[in-house]
mmCIF file of all heavy atoms in Angstrom:
data_model
loop_
_atom_site.group_PDB
_atom_site.id
_atom_site.type_symbol
_atom_site.label_atom_id
_atom_site.label_comp_id
_atom_site.label_asym_id
_atom_site.label_seq_id
_atom_site.Cartn_x
_atom_site.Cartn_y
_atom_site.Cartn_z
ATOM 1 N N LEU A 23 0.816 -1.190 0.006
ATOM 2 C CA LEU A 23 0.015 -0.007 -0.017
ATOM 3 C C LEU A 23 0.854 1.254 0.016
ATOM 4 O O LEU A 23 0.575 2.254 -0.699
ATOM 5 C CB LEU A 23 -0.923 -0.020 1.210
ATOM 6 C CG LEU A 23 -1.910 1.167 1.344
ATOM 7 C CD1 LEU A 23 -2.880 1.200 0.138
ATOM 8 C CD2 LEU A 23 -2.713 1.062 2.635
ATOM 9 N N GLU A 24 1.972 1.181 0.758
ATOM 10 C CA GLU A 24 2.850 2.341 0.770
ATOM 11 C C GLU A 24 3.493 2.607 -0.583
ATOM 12 O O GLU A 24 3.674 3.738 -1.028
ATOM 13 C CB GLU A 24 3.922 2.137 1.845
ATOM 14 C CG GLU A 24 3.392 2.216 3.268
ATOM 15 C CD GLU A 24 4.484 1.953 4.276
ATOM 16 O OE1 GLU A 24 5.618 1.609 3.883
ATOM 17 O OE2 GLU A 24 4.141 2.081 5.505
ATOM 18 N N SER A 25 3.871 1.504 -1.287
ATOM 19 C CA SER A 25 4.479 1.655 -2.601
ATOM 20 C C SER A 25 3.475 2.217 -3.582
ATOM 21 O O SER A 25 3.796 3.074 -4.452
ATOM 22 C CB SER A 25 5.036 0.323 -3.089
ATOM 23 O OG SER A 25 3.977 -0.627 -3.203
ATOM 24 N N VAL A 26 2.226 1.748 -3.515
ATOM 25 C CA VAL A 26 1.161 2.248 -4.396
ATOM 26 C C VAL A 26 0.923 3.722 -4.154
ATOM 27 O O VAL A 26 0.739 4.494 -5.084
ATOM 28 C CB VAL A 26 -0.128 1.412 -4.227
ATOM 29 C CG1 VAL A 26 -1.282 2.064 -5.009
ATOM 30 C CG2 VAL A 26 0.083 -0.014 -4.738
ATOM 31 N N LEU A 27 0.909 4.129 -2.873
ATOM 32 C CA LEU A 27 0.701 5.505 -2.568
ATOM 33 C C LEU A 27 1.814 6.358 -3.094
ATOM 34 O O LEU A 27 1.611 7.518 -3.561
ATOM 35 C CB LEU A 27 0.528 5.684 -1.071
ATOM 36 C CG LEU A 27 -0.754 5.119 -0.438
ATOM 37 C CD1 LEU A 27 -0.726 5.232 1.065
ATOM 38 C CD2 LEU A 27 -1.975 5.806 -1.019
ATOM 39 N N THR A 28 3.058 5.862 -3.047
ATOM 40 C CA THR A 28 4.222 6.594 -3.528
ATOM 41 C C THR A 28 4.115 6.816 -5.046
ATOM 42 O O THR A 28 4.358 7.896 -5.569
ATOM 43 C CB THR A 28 5.512 5.863 -3.187
ATOM 44 O OG1 THR A 28 5.604 5.647 -1.775
ATOM 45 C CG2 THR A 28 6.708 6.636 -3.640
ATOM 46 N N GLU A 29 3.793 5.689 -5.752
ATOM 47 C CA GLU A 29 3.600 5.801 -7.228
ATOM 48 C C GLU A 29 2.479 6.799 -7.578
ATOM 49 O O GLU A 29 2.527 7.557 -8.517
ATOM 50 C CB GLU A 29 3.328 4.402 -7.810
ATOM 51 C CG GLU A 29 4.508 3.492 -7.681
ATOM 52 C CD GLU A 29 4.152 2.100 -8.202
ATOM 53 O OE1 GLU A 29 2.963 1.908 -8.655
ATOM 54 O OE2 GLU A 29 5.047 1.220 -8.221
ATOM 55 N N LEU A 30 1.402 6.705 -6.743
ATOM 56 C CA LEU A 30 0.253 7.600 -6.999
ATOM 57 C C LEU A 30 0.649 9.060 -6.812
ATOM 58 O O LEU A 30 0.255 9.911 -7.635
ATOM 59 C CB LEU A 30 -0.888 7.211 -6.099
ATOM 60 C CG LEU A 30 -2.201 7.981 -6.285
ATOM 61 C CD1 LEU A 30 -2.758 7.784 -7.663
ATOM 62 C CD2 LEU A 30 -3.234 7.559 -5.240
ATOM 63 N N SER A 31 1.394 9.357 -5.797
ATOM 64 C CA SER A 31 1.794 10.743 -5.570
ATOM 65 C C SER A 31 2.731 11.210 -6.640
ATOM 66 O O SER A 31 2.607 12.384 -7.104
ATOM 67 C CB SER A 31 2.515 10.853 -4.200
ATOM 68 O OG SER A 31 3.649 10.021 -4.161
ATOM 69 N N SER A 32 3.615 10.371 -7.173
ATOM 70 C CA SER A 32 4.507 10.777 -8.269
ATOM 71 C C SER A 32 3.687 11.014 -9.554
ATOM 72 O O SER A 32 3.959 11.962 -10.296
ATOM 73 C CB SER A 32 5.569 9.707 -8.462
ATOM 74 O OG SER A 32 4.989 8.491 -8.865
ATOM 75 N N ALA A 33 2.696 10.140 -9.807
ATOM 76 C CA ALA A 33 1.860 10.327 -10.991
ATOM 77 C C ALA A 33 1.072 11.640 -10.899
ATOM 78 O O ALA A 33 0.933 12.350 -11.910
ATOM 79 C CB ALA A 33 0.934 9.110 -11.110
ATOM 80 N N ILE A 34 0.527 11.905 -9.706
ATOM 81 C CA ILE A 34 -0.177 13.157 -9.542
ATOM 82 C C ILE A 34 0.724 14.375 -9.772
ATOM 83 O O ILE A 34 0.366 15.377 -10.403
ATOM 84 C CB ILE A 34 -0.858 13.214 -8.158
ATOM 85 C CG1 ILE A 34 -1.934 12.145 -8.064
ATOM 86 C CG2 ILE A 34 -1.368 14.585 -7.862
ATOM 87 C CD1 ILE A 34 -2.505 12.003 -6.683
ATOM 88 N N ALA A 35 2.005 14.287 -9.263
ATOM 89 C CA ALA A 35 2.958 15.368 -9.488
ATOM 90 C C ALA A 35 3.243 15.556 -10.971
ATOM 91 O O ALA A 35 3.317 16.704 -11.479
ATOM 92 C CB ALA A 35 4.213 15.128 -8.716
ATOM 93 N N GLY A 36 3.373 14.408 -11.717
ATOM 94 C CA GLY A 36 3.582 14.521 -13.164
ATOM 95 C C GLY A 36 2.402 15.183 -13.880
ATOM 96 O O GLY A 36 2.578 15.987 -14.794
ATOM 97 N N LEU A 37 1.196 14.787 -13.484
ATOM 98 C CA LEU A 37 0.031 15.381 -14.090
ATOM 99 C C LEU A 37 -0.063 16.870 -13.809
ATOM 100 O O LEU A 37 -0.456 17.671 -14.707
ATOM 101 C CB LEU A 37 -1.234 14.694 -13.577
ATOM 102 C CG LEU A 37 -1.476 13.239 -14.047
ATOM 103 C CD1 LEU A 37 -2.682 12.638 -13.341
ATOM 104 C CD2 LEU A 37 -1.725 13.241 -15.569
ATOM 105 N N GLN A 38 0.313 17.255 -12.645
ATOM 106 C CA GLN A 38 0.280 18.674 -12.263
ATOM 107 C C GLN A 38 1.301 19.480 -13.118
ATOM 108 O O GLN A 38 0.971 20.559 -13.623
ATOM 109 C CB GLN A 38 0.613 18.850 -10.794
ATOM 110 C CG GLN A 38 0.499 20.282 -10.265
ATOM 111 C CD GLN A 38 0.747 20.369 -8.791
ATOM 112 O OE1 GLN A 38 1.056 19.360 -8.157
ATOM 113 N NE2 GLN A 38 0.618 21.571 -8.253
ATOM 114 N N SER A 39 2.493 18.906 -13.322
ATOM 115 C CA SER A 39 3.502 19.620 -14.152
ATOM 116 C C SER A 39 3.043 19.702 -15.617
ATOM 117 O O SER A 39 3.214 20.719 -16.279
ATOM 118 C CB SER A 39 4.854 18.893 -14.055
ATOM 119 O OG SER A 39 4.723 17.548 -14.549
ATOM 120 N N GLN A 40 2.383 18.631 -16.137
ATOM 121 C CA GLN A 40 1.874 18.683 -17.497
ATOM 122 C C GLN A 40 0.753 19.677 -17.660
ATOM 123 O O GLN A 40 0.673 20.368 -18.665
ATOM 124 C CB GLN A 40 1.383 17.257 -17.905
ATOM 125 C CG GLN A 40 2.490 16.207 -18.060
ATOM 126 C CD GLN A 40 1.977 14.850 -18.402
ATOM 127 O OE1 GLN A 40 0.800 14.704 -18.643
ATOM 128 N NE2 GLN A 40 2.872 13.879 -18.437
ATOM 129 N N TYR A 41 -0.091 19.761 -16.619
ATOM 130 C CA TYR A 41 -1.175 20.744 -16.681
ATOM 131 C C TYR A 41 -0.623 22.153 -16.709
ATOM 132 O O TYR A 41 -1.131 23.000 -17.464
ATOM 133 C CB TYR A 41 -2.081 20.524 -15.477
ATOM 134 C CG TYR A 41 -3.200 21.575 -15.340
ATOM 135 C CD1 TYR A 41 -4.271 21.497 -16.197
ATOM 136 C CD2 TYR A 41 -3.097 22.564 -14.399
ATOM 137 C CE1 TYR A 41 -5.297 22.457 -16.104
ATOM 138 C CE2 TYR A 41 -4.104 23.499 -14.294
ATOM 139 C CZ TYR A 41 -5.197 23.466 -15.176
ATOM 140 O OH TYR A 41 -6.191 24.395 -15.052
ATOM 141 N N GLN A 42 0.399 22.399 -15.909
ATOM 142 C CA GLN A 42 0.995 23.769 -15.909
ATOM 143 C C GLN A 42 1.621 24.061 -17.263
ATOM 144 O O GLN A 42 1.530 25.213 -17.780
ATOM 145 C CB GLN A 42 2.022 23.863 -14.820
ATOM 146 C CG GLN A 42 1.453 23.856 -13.424
ATOM 147 C CD GLN A 42 2.496 23.887 -12.329
ATOM 148 O OE1 GLN A 42 3.723 23.827 -12.628
ATOM 149 N NE2 GLN A 42 2.045 23.957 -11.074
ATOM 150 N N ALA A 43 2.283 23.032 -17.899
ATOM 151 C CA ALA A 43 2.860 23.260 -19.232
ATOM 152 C C ALA A 43 1.763 23.550 -20.235
ATOM 153 O O ALA A 43 1.949 24.418 -21.123
ATOM 154 C CB ALA A 43 3.664 22.023 -19.629
ATOM 155 N N LEU A 44 0.645 22.830 -20.175
ATOM 156 C CA LEU A 44 -0.453 23.102 -21.113
ATOM 157 C C LEU A 44 -1.001 24.482 -20.900
ATOM 158 O O LEU A 44 -1.327 25.213 -21.901
ATOM 159 C CB LEU A 44 -1.536 22.066 -20.931
ATOM 160 C CG LEU A 44 -1.217 20.645 -21.427
ATOM 161 C CD1 LEU A 44 -2.362 19.689 -21.003
ATOM 162 C CD2 LEU A 44 -1.087 20.639 -22.917
ATOM 163 N N CYS A 45 -1.121 24.928 -19.698
ATOM 164 C CA CYS A 45 -1.585 26.297 -19.433
ATOM 165 C C CYS A 45 -0.648 27.343 -20.034
ATOM 166 O O CYS A 45 -1.064 28.310 -20.657
ATOM 167 C CB CYS A 45 -1.769 26.521 -17.929
ATOM 168 S SG CYS A 45 -3.113 25.557 -17.184
ATOM 169 N N GLN A 46 0.637 27.139 -19.859
ATOM 170 C CA GLN A 46 1.582 28.076 -20.450
ATOM 171 C C GLN A 46 1.542 28.048 -21.952
ATOM 172 O O GLN A 46 1.675 29.097 -22.612
ATOM 173 C CB GLN A 46 2.999 27.709 -19.958
ATOM 174 C CG GLN A 46 3.248 27.966 -18.440
ATOM 175 C CD GLN A 46 4.605 27.538 -18.004
ATOM 176 O OE1 GLN A 46 5.406 27.029 -18.768
ATOM 177 N NE2 GLN A 46 4.865 27.731 -16.684
ATOM 178 N N LEU A 47 1.409 26.820 -22.542
ATOM 179 C CA LEU A 47 1.304 26.747 -23.981
ATOM 180 C C LEU A 47 0.019 27.485 -24.519
ATOM 181 O O LEU A 47 0.116 28.205 -25.536
ATOM 182 C CB LEU A 47 1.276 25.283 -24.385
ATOM 183 C CG LEU A 47 1.116 25.004 -25.914
ATOM 184 C CD1 LEU A 47 2.319 25.564 -26.678
ATOM 185 C CD2 LEU A 47 0.985 23.478 -26.115
ATOM 186 N N ARG A 48 -1.046 27.324 -23.810
ATOM 187 C CA ARG A 48 -2.292 27.992 -24.238
ATOM 188 C C ARG A 48 -2.125 29.502 -24.137
ATOM 189 O O ARG A 48 -2.551 30.246 -25.035
ATOM 190 C CB ARG A 48 -3.421 27.549 -23.341
ATOM 191 C CG ARG A 48 -4.780 28.138 -23.681
ATOM 192 C CD ARG A 48 -5.846 27.623 -22.761
ATOM 193 N NE ARG A 48 -7.145 28.187 -23.084
ATOM 194 C CZ ARG A 48 -8.246 27.921 -22.382
ATOM 195 N NH1 ARG A 48 -8.210 27.087 -21.336
ATOM 196 N NH2 ARG A 48 -9.360 28.517 -22.731
ATOM 197 N N LYS A 49 -1.463 29.955 -23.090
ATOM 198 C CA LYS A 49 -1.232 31.406 -22.950
ATOM 199 C C LYS A 49 -0.374 31.956 -24.059
ATOM 200 O O LYS A 49 -0.612 33.022 -24.597
ATOM 201 C CB LYS A 49 -0.635 31.720 -21.563
ATOM 202 C CG LYS A 49 -0.445 33.175 -21.289
ATOM 203 C CD LYS A 49 0.138 33.373 -19.876
ATOM 204 C CE LYS A 49 0.347 34.871 -19.615
ATOM 205 N NZ LYS A 49 0.962 35.073 -18.263
ATOM 206 N N GLY A 50 0.699 31.170 -24.390
ATOM 207 C CA GLY A 50 1.598 31.605 -25.463
ATOM 208 C C GLY A 50 0.873 31.666 -26.805
ATOM 209 O O GLY A 50 1.070 32.616 -27.604
ATOM 210 N N MET A 51 0.022 30.713 -27.099
ATOM 211 C CA MET A 51 -0.734 30.709 -28.368
ATOM 212 C C MET A 51 -1.706 31.896 -28.411
ATOM 213 O O MET A 51 -1.859 32.530 -29.486
ATOM 214 C CB MET A 51 -1.511 29.381 -28.526
ATOM 215 C CG MET A 51 -0.565 28.180 -28.703
ATOM 216 S SD MET A 51 -1.501 26.636 -28.876
ATOM 217 C CE MET A 51 -2.285 26.947 -30.442
ATOM 218 N N ASN A 52 -2.323 32.195 -27.316
ATOM 219 C CA ASN A 52 -3.207 33.380 -27.278
ATOM 220 C C ASN A 52 -2.443 34.658 -27.540
ATOM 221 O O ASN A 52 -2.917 35.548 -28.272
ATOM 222 C CB ASN A 52 -3.952 33.442 -25.965
ATOM 223 C CG ASN A 52 -4.963 32.361 -25.777
ATOM 224 O OD1 ASN A 52 -5.549 31.891 -26.802
ATOM 225 N ND2 ASN A 52 -5.250 31.957 -24.556
#
């Protein structure tokens, strides 16, 4: 369970960084 939670937290951090990159890309295109 601890290993799954660790992987889950890393995946959430990756999604957060990708979301920020998409927001910056959208702003640049605008």
Side-chain angles (χ1 to χ4, degrees):
L23 182 61
E24 290 178 354
S25 62
V26 171
L27 291 175
T28 303
E29 294 177 358
L30 182 61
S31 61
S32 62
I34 292 173
L37 289 174
Q38 185 177 4
S39 61
Q40 291 178 5
Y41 176 74
Q42 292 178 354
L44 287 173
C45 292
Q46 292 178 358
L47 178 62
R48 182 180 179 182
K49 183 178 179 182
M51 293 179 67
N52 289 331

